[in-house]
Amino acid sequence: MQSFSGTSEYIVSPELSRAVDVAVALGRPLLVKGEPGTGKTLLARDIANFFECPLERWHVKSTTKAVDGLYQYDAVRRLHDSRFGDGDVRDISRYISLGPLGRAFASERRVVVLIDEIDKADLEFPNDLLHELDAMEFTIPETGAVVAARQRPIVIITSNNEKEMPDAFLRRCVFHWIEFPDKALMARIVRVHHPDVEDKLLAGALEAFYTLRAVEGLRKPPSTSELIDWLSALRLSGIDPAKLLGAKIPFLGTLLKKEQDIDNVGRRMKARTGS
């Protein structure tokens, strides 16, 4: 079996690489958690690129139901056609369209399916998918048709840990918590997006970034994506790396998005520098 090692656009830790390999080998969904900005959603895209598979994205909302990922029955269009005589309304299959998971089951090729932010849905959502994720098939009641997976898809499920998942659902998943990258791994990640960044600027930015994340009481610590944006701003401004740990961190609003956090950091940095 080919071992997942990330791509040129997505740097993975050895622990995450092993978790992906185990999930693929067992044919189990991989449930990925971690603080926002740790690359949970991008993981599915890069797994698809690595294994050269199509990617089906299912972005979960508070109103999403499990059946939405399997199929949709357009009863409104059928009613419209019955009123105006457009087409054969007796053929219900004309009004059935497969959802992301349904299309993955029906595909001749192995597909990567991203079920993104599953914790946004109601508590019953994960339980409503148990049979489908176990049996890799489902029935469309309106037609009686059975949609069975021709190739078992690689299922990646992300969660921001806003809700606890049911135990029955967790038993069917391989779980991985994405740890926030240390400085060495973060430097590799940043260089994917800024391959020609100066060493001195990168070192100064990382020092300031991790100092900022260590401030107690932050409601939303800065994430990887915000660090990448901050570096873009620093490079465009041509700022001196030596000024990054002063009393006033430049472009602080690129890193922090809560007014309370900006005030908190401002007070602490002034006290730290004595200015």
Side-chain angles (χ1 to χ4, degrees), residues 9 22 32 44 58 64 67 77 99 124-125 143 145 151 163 171 173 208 229 238 268:
E9 297 181 354
V22 169
V32 182
W58 183 7
T64 300
V67 70
R77 185 164 71 90
E124 289 305 310
F125 180 91
T143 64
Q151 296 275 352
K163 295 175 186 168
R171 282 198 300 272
C173 297
D229 288 344
R268 290 176 181 270

PDB file of all heavy atoms in Angstrom, residues 9 22 32 44 58 64 67 77 99 124-125 143 145 151 163 171 173 208 229 238 268:
ATOM      1  N   GLU A   9       2.404  20.846  -1.640  1.00  0.00           N
ATOM      2  CA  GLU A   9       1.577  21.955  -1.168  1.00  0.00           C
ATOM      3  C   GLU A   9       1.011  21.722   0.229  1.00  0.00           C
ATOM      4  O   GLU A   9       0.330  22.591   0.769  1.00  0.00           O
ATOM      5  CB  GLU A   9       0.425  22.214  -2.140  1.00  0.00           C
ATOM      6  CG  GLU A   9       0.879  22.639  -3.528  1.00  0.00           C
ATOM      7  CD  GLU A   9      -0.285  22.906  -4.452  1.00  0.00           C
ATOM      8  OE1 GLU A   9      -1.438  22.643  -4.039  1.00  0.00           O
ATOM      9  OE2 GLU A   9      -0.053  23.375  -5.574  1.00  0.00           O
ATOM     10  N   VAL A  22      -3.537   4.342   8.249  1.00  0.00           N
ATOM     11  CA  VAL A  22      -4.364   3.388   9.000  1.00  0.00           C
ATOM     12  C   VAL A  22      -5.813   3.456   8.527  1.00  0.00           C
ATOM     13  O   VAL A  22      -6.461   2.425   8.305  1.00  0.00           O
ATOM     14  CB  VAL A  22      -4.262   3.662  10.513  1.00  0.00           C
ATOM     15  CG1 VAL A  22      -5.317   2.863  11.277  1.00  0.00           C
ATOM     16  CG2 VAL A  22      -2.871   3.319  11.032  1.00  0.00           C
ATOM     17  N   VAL A  32     -10.882  14.023  11.871  1.00  0.00           N
ATOM     18  CA  VAL A  32      -9.773  14.919  12.161  1.00  0.00           C
ATOM     19  C   VAL A  32     -10.287  16.122  12.943  1.00  0.00           C
ATOM     20  O   VAL A  32     -11.230  16.793  12.519  1.00  0.00           O
ATOM     21  CB  VAL A  32      -9.096  15.409  10.856  1.00  0.00           C
ATOM     22  CG1 VAL A  32      -7.904  16.296  11.179  1.00  0.00           C
ATOM     23  CG2 VAL A  32      -8.657  14.233  10.006  1.00  0.00           C
ATOM     24  N   ALA A  44      -8.074  16.735   2.957  1.00  0.00           N
ATOM     25  CA  ALA A  44      -8.790  15.889   2.000  1.00  0.00           C
ATOM     26  C   ALA A  44      -8.351  16.186   0.573  1.00  0.00           C
ATOM     27  O   ALA A  44      -8.175  15.272  -0.243  1.00  0.00           O
ATOM     28  CB  ALA A  44     -10.298  16.076   2.155  1.00  0.00           C
ATOM     29  N   TRP A  58     -18.454  17.767   0.913  1.00  0.00           N
ATOM     30  CA  TRP A  58     -19.771  17.899   1.535  1.00  0.00           C
ATOM     31  C   TRP A  58     -19.607  18.850   2.717  1.00  0.00           C
ATOM     32  O   TRP A  58     -19.137  18.462   3.774  1.00  0.00           O
ATOM     33  CB  TRP A  58     -20.273  16.533   1.978  1.00  0.00           C
ATOM     34  CG  TRP A  58     -21.650  16.516   2.567  1.00  0.00           C
ATOM     35  CD1 TRP A  58     -22.542  17.539   2.634  1.00  0.00           C
ATOM     36  CD2 TRP A  58     -22.300  15.393   3.174  1.00  0.00           C
ATOM     37  NE1 TRP A  58     -23.700  17.142   3.247  1.00  0.00           N
ATOM     38  CE2 TRP A  58     -23.581  15.829   3.581  1.00  0.00           C
ATOM     39  CE3 TRP A  58     -21.920  14.076   3.417  1.00  0.00           C
ATOM     40  CZ2 TRP A  58     -24.470  14.980   4.227  1.00  0.00           C
ATOM     41  CZ3 TRP A  58     -22.808  13.234   4.051  1.00  0.00           C
ATOM     42  CH2 TRP A  58     -24.078  13.672   4.449  1.00  0.00           C
ATOM     43  N   THR A  64     -28.181  20.880   7.636  1.00  0.00           N
ATOM     44  CA  THR A  64     -27.867  19.707   6.820  1.00  0.00           C
ATOM     45  C   THR A  64     -28.405  18.424   7.461  1.00  0.00           C
ATOM     46  O   THR A  64     -28.276  18.222   8.666  1.00  0.00           O
ATOM     47  CB  THR A  64     -26.348  19.574   6.624  1.00  0.00           C
ATOM     48  OG1 THR A  64     -25.858  20.749   5.968  1.00  0.00           O
ATOM     49  CG2 THR A  64     -26.016  18.365   5.758  1.00  0.00           C
ATOM     50  N   VAL A  67     -29.317  12.554   4.854  1.00  0.00           N
ATOM     51  CA  VAL A  67     -29.784  12.121   3.539  1.00  0.00           C
ATOM     52  C   VAL A  67     -29.298  13.051   2.438  1.00  0.00           C
ATOM     53  O   VAL A  67     -29.161  12.631   1.269  1.00  0.00           O
ATOM     54  CB  VAL A  67     -31.330  12.012   3.522  1.00  0.00           C
ATOM     55  CG1 VAL A  67     -31.971  13.393   3.601  1.00  0.00           C
ATOM     56  CG2 VAL A  67     -31.814  11.244   2.305  1.00  0.00           C
ATOM     57  N   ARG A  77     -40.076  19.972  -8.423  1.00  0.00           N
ATOM     58  CA  ARG A  77     -39.992  19.934  -9.891  1.00  0.00           C
ATOM     59  C   ARG A  77     -40.953  18.895 -10.465  1.00  0.00           C
ATOM     60  O   ARG A  77     -41.565  19.107 -11.522  1.00  0.00           O
ATOM     61  CB  ARG A  77     -38.561  19.626 -10.332  1.00  0.00           C
ATOM     62  CG  ARG A  77     -38.370  19.682 -11.853  1.00  0.00           C
ATOM     63  CD  ARG A  77     -36.906  19.767 -12.224  1.00  0.00           C
ATOM     64  NE  ARG A  77     -36.203  18.534 -11.971  1.00  0.00           N
ATOM     65  CZ  ARG A  77     -36.081  17.544 -12.873  1.00  0.00           C
ATOM     66  NH1 ARG A  77     -36.613  17.665 -14.084  1.00  0.00           N
ATOM     67  NH2 ARG A  77     -35.398  16.454 -12.568  1.00  0.00           N
ATOM     68  N   GLY A  99     -26.098  12.854  -3.935  1.00  0.00           N
ATOM     69  CA  GLY A  99     -25.294  13.807  -3.180  1.00  0.00           C
ATOM     70  C   GLY A  99     -23.828  13.404  -3.219  1.00  0.00           C
ATOM     71  O   GLY A  99     -23.445  12.428  -3.888  1.00  0.00           O
ATOM     72  N   GLU A 124     -28.026  14.192  15.899  1.00  0.00           N
ATOM     73  CA  GLU A 124     -28.386  12.917  15.281  1.00  0.00           C
ATOM     74  C   GLU A 124     -27.705  12.705  13.936  1.00  0.00           C
ATOM     75  O   GLU A 124     -27.723  11.594  13.402  1.00  0.00           O
ATOM     76  CB  GLU A 124     -29.909  12.834  15.105  1.00  0.00           C
ATOM     77  CG  GLU A 124     -30.673  12.671  16.410  1.00  0.00           C
ATOM     78  CD  GLU A 124     -30.169  11.464  17.203  1.00  0.00           C
ATOM     79  OE1 GLU A 124     -30.055  10.368  16.619  1.00  0.00           O
ATOM     80  OE2 GLU A 124     -29.884  11.614  18.403  1.00  0.00           O
ATOM     81  N   PHE A 125     -27.118  13.748  13.380  1.00  0.00           N
ATOM     82  CA  PHE A 125     -26.517  13.648  12.048  1.00  0.00           C
ATOM     83  C   PHE A 125     -25.494  12.516  11.945  1.00  0.00           C
ATOM     84  O   PHE A 125     -25.577  11.681  11.038  1.00  0.00           O
ATOM     85  CB  PHE A 125     -25.895  14.989  11.664  1.00  0.00           C
ATOM     86  CG  PHE A 125     -25.243  15.010  10.318  1.00  0.00           C
ATOM     87  CD1 PHE A 125     -25.956  15.376   9.191  1.00  0.00           C
ATOM     88  CD2 PHE A 125     -23.905  14.679  10.163  1.00  0.00           C
ATOM     89  CE1 PHE A 125     -25.360  15.406   7.939  1.00  0.00           C
ATOM     90  CE2 PHE A 125     -23.290  14.700   8.919  1.00  0.00           C
ATOM     91  CZ  PHE A 125     -24.027  15.063   7.807  1.00  0.00           C
ATOM     92  N   THR A 143     -37.590   5.056  -5.153  1.00  0.00           N
ATOM     93  CA  THR A 143     -37.464   4.191  -6.337  1.00  0.00           C
ATOM     94  C   THR A 143     -37.129   2.746  -5.985  1.00  0.00           C
ATOM     95  O   THR A 143     -37.259   1.860  -6.831  1.00  0.00           O
ATOM     96  CB  THR A 143     -36.361   4.719  -7.275  1.00  0.00           C
ATOM     97  OG1 THR A 143     -35.096   4.653  -6.596  1.00  0.00           O
ATOM     98  CG2 THR A 143     -36.653   6.157  -7.699  1.00  0.00           C
ATOM     99  N   ALA A 145     -34.177   1.749  -5.541  1.00  0.00           N
ATOM    100  CA  ALA A 145     -32.836   1.488  -6.071  1.00  0.00           C
ATOM    101  C   ALA A 145     -31.819   1.439  -4.936  1.00  0.00           C
ATOM    102  O   ALA A 145     -31.894   2.217  -3.978  1.00  0.00           O
ATOM    103  CB  ALA A 145     -32.445   2.577  -7.072  1.00  0.00           C
ATOM    104  N   GLN A 151     -16.176   1.193  -5.388  1.00  0.00           N
ATOM    105  CA  GLN A 151     -14.849   1.303  -4.782  1.00  0.00           C
ATOM    106  C   GLN A 151     -15.045   1.991  -3.433  1.00  0.00           C
ATOM    107  O   GLN A 151     -15.689   3.033  -3.362  1.00  0.00           O
ATOM    108  CB  GLN A 151     -13.915   2.150  -5.657  1.00  0.00           C
ATOM    109  CG  GLN A 151     -13.610   1.564  -7.016  1.00  0.00           C
ATOM    110  CD  GLN A 151     -12.465   0.574  -6.953  1.00  0.00           C
ATOM    111  OE1 GLN A 151     -11.794   0.431  -5.934  1.00  0.00           O
ATOM    112  NE2 GLN A 151     -12.241  -0.124  -8.049  1.00  0.00           N
ATOM    113  N   LYS A 163     -19.124  20.179  19.235  1.00  0.00           N
ATOM    114  CA  LYS A 163     -20.047  19.227  19.851  1.00  0.00           C
ATOM    115  C   LYS A 163     -19.346  17.887  19.993  1.00  0.00           C
ATOM    116  O   LYS A 163     -18.474  17.542  19.192  1.00  0.00           O
ATOM    117  CB  LYS A 163     -21.306  19.029  18.983  1.00  0.00           C
ATOM    118  CG  LYS A 163     -22.179  20.248  18.831  1.00  0.00           C
ATOM    119  CD  LYS A 163     -23.305  19.954  17.859  1.00  0.00           C
ATOM    120  CE  LYS A 163     -24.118  21.213  17.571  1.00  0.00           C
ATOM    121  NZ  LYS A 163     -25.020  21.007  16.410  1.00  0.00           N
ATOM    122  N   ARG A 171     -16.712   4.939  17.320  1.00  0.00           N
ATOM    123  CA  ARG A 171     -16.170   3.576  17.217  1.00  0.00           C
ATOM    124  C   ARG A 171     -15.872   3.189  15.773  1.00  0.00           C
ATOM    125  O   ARG A 171     -15.041   2.323  15.521  1.00  0.00           O
ATOM    126  CB  ARG A 171     -17.154   2.570  17.824  1.00  0.00           C
ATOM    127  CG  ARG A 171     -17.147   2.528  19.339  1.00  0.00           C
ATOM    128  CD  ARG A 171     -17.784   1.246  19.844  1.00  0.00           C
ATOM    129  NE  ARG A 171     -19.173   1.102  19.428  1.00  0.00           N
ATOM    130  CZ  ARG A 171     -20.207   1.583  20.110  1.00  0.00           C
ATOM    131  NH1 ARG A 171     -20.012   2.249  21.243  1.00  0.00           N
ATOM    132  NH2 ARG A 171     -21.443   1.401  19.674  1.00  0.00           N
ATOM    133  N   CYS A 173     -14.680   5.218  13.476  1.00  0.00           N
ATOM    134  CA  CYS A 173     -13.712   6.133  12.873  1.00  0.00           C
ATOM    135  C   CYS A 173     -12.305   5.883  13.390  1.00  0.00           C
ATOM    136  O   CYS A 173     -12.114   5.370  14.492  1.00  0.00           O
ATOM    137  CB  CYS A 173     -14.087   7.591  13.195  1.00  0.00           C
ATOM    138  SG  CYS A 173     -15.672   8.148  12.532  1.00  0.00           S
ATOM    139  N   ALA A 208       7.970  36.134  16.823  1.00  0.00           N
ATOM    140  CA  ALA A 208       6.874  37.009  17.246  1.00  0.00           C
ATOM    141  C   ALA A 208       5.550  36.255  17.273  1.00  0.00           C
ATOM    142  O   ALA A 208       4.731  36.430  18.191  1.00  0.00           O
ATOM    143  CB  ALA A 208       6.780  38.207  16.299  1.00  0.00           C
ATOM    144  N   ASP A 229      -0.692  35.131   5.922  1.00  0.00           N
ATOM    145  CA  ASP A 229      -1.144  36.462   5.492  1.00  0.00           C
ATOM    146  C   ASP A 229      -0.273  37.561   6.096  1.00  0.00           C
ATOM    147  O   ASP A 229       0.050  38.552   5.434  1.00  0.00           O
ATOM    148  CB  ASP A 229      -2.603  36.685   5.918  1.00  0.00           C
ATOM    149  CG  ASP A 229      -3.578  35.857   5.085  1.00  0.00           C
ATOM    150  OD1 ASP A 229      -3.176  35.363   4.015  1.00  0.00           O
ATOM    151  OD2 ASP A 229      -4.736  35.712   5.509  1.00  0.00           O
ATOM    152  N   GLY A 238       8.179  45.805   3.581  1.00  0.00           N
ATOM    153  CA  GLY A 238       9.629  45.887   3.718  1.00  0.00           C
ATOM    154  C   GLY A 238      10.087  46.194   5.130  1.00  0.00           C
ATOM    155  O   GLY A 238      11.125  46.820   5.341  1.00  0.00           O
ATOM    156  N   ARG A 268       0.213  43.706  27.363  1.00  0.00           N
ATOM    157  CA  ARG A 268       1.306  42.807  27.750  1.00  0.00           C
ATOM    158  C   ARG A 268       2.607  43.157  27.036  1.00  0.00           C
ATOM    159  O   ARG A 268       3.685  43.078  27.634  1.00  0.00           O
ATOM    160  CB  ARG A 268       0.907  41.357  27.473  1.00  0.00           C
ATOM    161  CG  ARG A 268      -0.183  40.854  28.422  1.00  0.00           C
ATOM    162  CD  ARG A 268      -0.622  39.440  28.051  1.00  0.00           C
ATOM    163  NE  ARG A 268      -1.674  38.966  28.942  1.00  0.00           N
ATOM    164  CZ  ARG A 268      -1.465  38.303  30.070  1.00  0.00           C
ATOM    165  NH1 ARG A 268      -0.227  38.052  30.455  1.00  0.00           N
ATOM    166  NH2 ARG A 268      -2.472  37.904  30.810  1.00  0.00           N
TER     167      ARG A 268
END
